[in-house]
Amino acid sequence: LSAAALCYLALGIDKEKLSEGIEKFHGVPFRMEKIREWNNVTFINDTTATIPEAAVCAVKSISAKSLVWIGGGTDKNLDFTCIKEIENIPRMIYLLKGTGTDKIKNVISRKDIKEVSSLEEVFSDMLPKLKSEDVVLLSPGCTSFGLFQNEFHRGRVFNECVNKL
């Protein structure tokens, strides 16, 4: 956003209009999108993170002390070794069933990973375990096929689960 603002300033765009535009910009849907806060827990939807590197970046970008990561799904013949970088960051890890999840589980050594068949199952298991100031991040690092029509369907289901709280 800063680089874009500098470009606009260089092109002579009025500073007040630029500030107004920045204030109104709330991000792009399904890309590190803050859905809501509930009981002092923040829910972020990054469903378009369909490669392992994107999930790693998303997890690393969260500055919260307590992160719940929802990842996994179907593999598209990618290398998942980068996931090792984040294995100790999340307090809890939920992985949606699929061939990508199998690869993730082969890369990280944690035994407390919960493999699930649906986002509804994630929420059912996760809600009683949430703590104040947790951040729940959906950033799969995999495709959605098998459980969802596409990543946007997965994102909408996540949002529905969050908004039912």
Side-chain angles (χ1 to χ4, degrees):
L1 194 56
S2 299
L6 289 173
C7 289
Y8 280 111
L9 288 173
L11 292 171
I13 299 296
D14 179 66
K15 287 181 184 179
E16 287 181 32
K17 287 186 179 185
L18 180 60
S19 291
E20 183 181 314
I22 290 172
E23 286 178 28
K24 289 181 179 179
F25 181 72
H26 296 288
V28 180
F30 303 123
R31 289 169 180 84
M32 294 300 289
E33 177 185 17
K34 179 181 171 184
I35 303 306
R36 77 181 277 207
E37 286 189 30
W38 173 81
N39 286 351
N40 209 29
V41 174
T42 302
F43 294 85
I44 298 174
N45 187 336
D46 189 36
T47 192
T48 56
T50 61
I51 62 172
E53 293 82 1
V56 168
C57 287
V59 168
K60 285 181 172 183
S61 76
I62 303 295
S63 61
K65 293 178 186 171
S66 187
L67 175 68
V68 178
W69 175 43
I70 305 169
T74 305
D75 175 31
K76 46 186 176 183
N77 296 317
L78 298 175
D79 179 4
F80 282 81
T81 55
C82 66
I83 296 291
K84 186 83 173 153
E85 297 174 37
I86 60 168
E87 81 173 304
N88 294 316
I89 295 174
R91 181 172 71 82
M92 292 189 289
I93 298 175
Y94 290 90
L95 296 178
L96 296 161
K97 288 185 188 255
T99 53
T101 290
D102 297 339
K103 282 184 154 182
I104 292 170
K105 288 169 61 179
N106 285 331
V107 169
I108 59 179
S109 57
R110 286 179 61 161
K111 303 298 181 209
D112 62 342
I113 295 169
K114 178 89 175 184
E115 190 172 337
V116 294
S117 298
S118 70
L119 286 169
E120 292 84 0
E121 186 180 345
V122 170
F123 277 77
S124 176
D125 186 80
M126 171 184 67
L127 287 178
K129 300 174 186 174
L130 288 177
K131 297 179 182 178
S132 180
E133 299 186 19
D134 273 348
V135 172
V136 177
L137 171 67
L138 170 65
S139 188
C142 297
T143 66
S144 58
F145 304 119
L147 297 177
F148 305 95
Q149 296 167 354
N150 54 45
E151 70 269 25
F152 303 110
H153 177 231
R154 175 176 57 201
R156 286 190 301 274
V157 171
F158 177 81
N159 290 355
E160 288 169 9
C161 290
V162 171
N163 289 320
K164 285 180 186 175
L165 300 176

